[in-house]
Amino acid sequence: CGRGPGGCRGGRTDMALRCAASLAAGRQPRGPRREGTVRWSSAAKASAVKINEKASREKILTLESMNPQVKAVEYAVRGPIVLKAGEIEKELRKGIKKPFTEVIKANIGDAHAMGQRPITFLRQVVALCTYPNLLDSPSFPEDAKKRARRILQGCGGNSLGSYTASQGINCIREDVASYIERRDGGVPADPDNIYLTTGASDGISAILKILISGGGKSRTGVMIPIPQYPLYSAAISELDAIQVNYYLDEENCWALNVNELRRALNEAKAYCNPKVLCIINPGNPTGQVQNRKCIEDVIHFAWEEKLFLLADEVYQDNVYSEGCQFHSFKKILYEMGPEYYNNVELASFHSTSKGYMGECGYRGGYMEVINLHPEIKGQLVKLLSVRLCPPVSGQAAMDIVVNPPVPGEESYAQFIKEKESVLNNLAKKAKLTEDMFNKIPGVHCNPLQGAMYAFPRIFLPSKAIEEAKAHKMAPDMFYCMKLLEETGICVVPGSGFGQREGTYHFRITILPPVEKLKILLEKVKDFHIKFLEKYA
């Protein structure tokens, strides 16, 4: 059993297996020793590799074996065109020549990435919470220190690094409730109905998760606007629910028509159980602001048809057009009387990511859920407890959104100046974008009443549509890909949001600084005219 001239203990087979393991680990295997050196014949090496190949096995997780619901998920805002933009950025860094010097990512509403400055007071409070030693610094105003101390007192060990209750820090939920009451003119809000979330998306996904049930024709149907924010279609796919489309009226500034809701609902009843109605107000990607009458009609429809209402209101501070005003669904529901207010189940969502704050990275948000069955409230808290708690720095940021400086406090003047500057700039850019798009032949853009995007309709020549089909692309994806490759401008095709058959759009953010936005829009104009000439 000693080492023989043919190899090591156990003979040639053991030797080869040991060799294969050594090669797989990147080591030079031990072999027969001759005068202190290790030598391998080419035959021995080939044998070792062959055995190693036989020893490998198929992966457990493949495209065929993975969760089919996850595979069905699509999220156009960070879809194929954004991946292509990333590849082009790498090529530019390597010095590969392009007709442009940078990629402009106009595909997403990321305010700070586009150059918007943070709100000073919000950052001061979060900095104080993050590093409490700064509470002794004379560089920070007392009103910021007061808020930071209150938030820290609600944290375990007075530290932002501790877990919080799954529903969120209690004093912040109290501040959210107070904010809602002020916003809605005294309509009562209960902190126990407030759930702090990881951005609004987390809350929307959690509510959908708890709402969806049944199988076959009894599977839950979720009514969503078309065009829609792709979070909804992605969450519906992941949860294996049924997407029920209702179309916004593009000819009437993307208005919501209850007759269209009724059509969608009645058709869906043949193949699912519609029980959720989602509204995005102000609209994303369409930028419309729903008027009071429209909201009353929607609430009555939900009450009549026994639908659970989801009101995505993250752009509530972003209203620009004269004559437009944000009305919360909660406020209108209350004013419609107790028959509605005590019965319609409503979840409303807000976030730190939009508005004048633009603090996307903090992932702060909240949802208010009213008229929830008491036993379901316990189930919702249980579901949220699985992810322990939302990011605590995001909770702190959300607190400043709902509890900003007030008149008489030392930070008020600077806060109001910064807030109004951001919102006034967005209003100017909304009008600029609308006007410039409507001067381009073959493009039509509805008024940007709110939010932070334009969703222009593009009229594409039949030759372009045919070429897109030859490339197995949606026509507006083909258009947007050409725009990216020729100008470096990254936008999202309308097919990623949904649109009426035979119409084509793209979504573009209005967040870049005014001068940069003008250049961007001029480039889109030049590209579009050349595109029309090429495919005319």
Side-chain angles (χ1 to χ4, degrees), residues 479-489 491 523-524 527:
Y479 177 93
C480 292
M481 197 64 80
K482 290 289 185 186
L483 176 67
L484 173 63
E485 291 169 349
E486 294 180 25
T487 68
I489 297 169
V491 298
K523 285 185 174 182
V524 173
F527 165 82

Side-chain angles (χ1 to χ4, degrees), residues 6 45 89 111 151 181 186 211 252 335 342 345 388 393 466:
K45 287 181 180 177
E89 282 183 316
I151 292 168
E181 288 185 1
L211 274 164
N252 192 22
E335 291 173 352
N342 293 330
E345 293 154 275
L388 296 175
S393 55
E466 288 166 12

Side-chain angles (χ1 to χ4, degrees), residues 76 224-230 233 243 245-250 254 260 263 285-286 444 454-460 465 473-480 492-507:
I224 64 171
I226 297 297
Q228 52 105 20
Y229 178 51
S233 54
Q243 179 174 316
N245 297 337
Y246 66 87
Y247 289 89
L248 301 176
D249 183 0
E250 184 170 11
W254 299 112
E260 169 61 14
R263 176 208 62 78
T286 44
H444 173 73
F455 196 65
R457 181 173 177 180
I458 48 176
F459 295 85
L460 302 179
I465 295 170
M473 283 184 177
D476 48 9
M477 171 64 87
F478 177 74
Y479 177 93
C480 292
V492 191
S495 48
F497 300 91
Q499 55 199 351
R500 282 197 181 274
E501 188 73 26
T503 67
Y504 308 107
H505 305 78
F506 63 83
R507 190 189 80 165

Side-chain angles (χ1 to χ4, degrees), residues 29-283:
R30 292 176 61 191
R33 295 177 185 171
R34 293 180 185 171
E35 300 177 0
T37 62
V38 177
R39 294 182 184 176
W40 287 84
S41 70
S42 57
K45 287 181 180 177
S47 175
V49 171
K50 196 170 184 180
I51 291 170
N52 188 45
E53 286 174 352
K54 286 181 179 177
S56 67
R57 64 182 187 184
E58 290 183 2
K59 298 292 185 186
I60 294 168
L61 184 59
T62 66
L63 283 173
E64 288 71 35
S65 67
M66 72 174 287
N67 184 331
Q69 273 67 61
V70 174
K71 190 159 64 171
V73 168
E74 292 184 1
Y75 188 64
V77 174
R78 295 198 173 189
I81 201 156
V82 183
L83 298 177
K84 181 66 175 178
E87 291 172 12
I88 292 173
E89 282 183 316
K90 288 177 184 176
E91 290 172 356
L92 286 170
R93 284 195 291 269
K94 289 176 182 176
I96 297 172
K97 296 295 181 185
K98 302 282 181 185
F100 46 87
T101 56
E102 65 170 332
V103 171
I104 301 173
K105 290 186 176 176
N107 61 296
I108 196 165
D110 192 350
H112 294 186
M114 285 291 182
Q116 182 179 308
R117 305 302 303 162
I119 298 296
T120 302
F121 188 76
L122 187 150
R123 287 297 181 92
Q124 286 174 330
V125 175
V126 175
L128 289 163
C129 289
T130 305
Y131 188 58
N133 287 3
L134 293 173
L135 288 164
D136 297 324
S137 169
S139 300
F140 289 80
E142 283 304 315
D143 47 0
K145 291 179 180 179
K146 177 183 174 184
R147 283 164 176 78
R149 288 190 185 99
R150 182 166 179 267
I151 292 168
L152 289 171
Q153 285 168 7
C155 298
N158 290 325
S159 172
L160 218 61
S162 61
Y163 287 128
T164 71
S166 298
Q167 210 168 328
I169 297 171
N170 190 59
C171 68
I172 297 178
R173 288 165 47 224
E174 290 172 354
D175 288 345
V176 171
S178 297
Y179 161 79
I180 291 170
E181 288 185 1
R182 291 194 308 273
R183 181 197 69 189
D184 293 344
V187 175
D190 183 352
D192 199 39
N193 292 335
I194 307 296
Y195 303 81
L196 300 183
T197 56
T198 308
S201 303
D202 174 49
I204 292 165
S205 297
I207 286 291
L208 285 174
K209 194 175 289 185
I210 209 164
L211 274 164
I212 289 165
S213 64
K217 289 187 177 182
S218 66
R219 189 67 174 163
T220 299
V222 181
M223 300 180 68
I224 64 171
I226 297 297
Q228 52 105 20
Y229 178 51
L231 162 69
Y232 291 94
S233 54
I236 290 165
S237 290
E238 184 182 353
L239 297 168
D240 199 23
I242 307 299
Q243 179 174 316
V244 179
N245 297 337
Y246 66 87
Y247 289 89
L248 301 176
D249 183 0
E250 184 170 11
E251 305 303 318
N252 192 22
C253 204
W254 299 112
L256 194 166
N257 188 303
V258 171
N259 290 331
E260 169 61 14
L261 288 180
R262 200 170 303 283
R263 176 208 62 78
L265 179 80
N266 290 337
E267 288 182 9
K269 284 178 178 177
Y271 55 86
C272 69
N273 174 25
K275 65 178 182 181
V276 186
L277 173 57
C278 303
I279 309 289
I280 308 173
N281 180 47

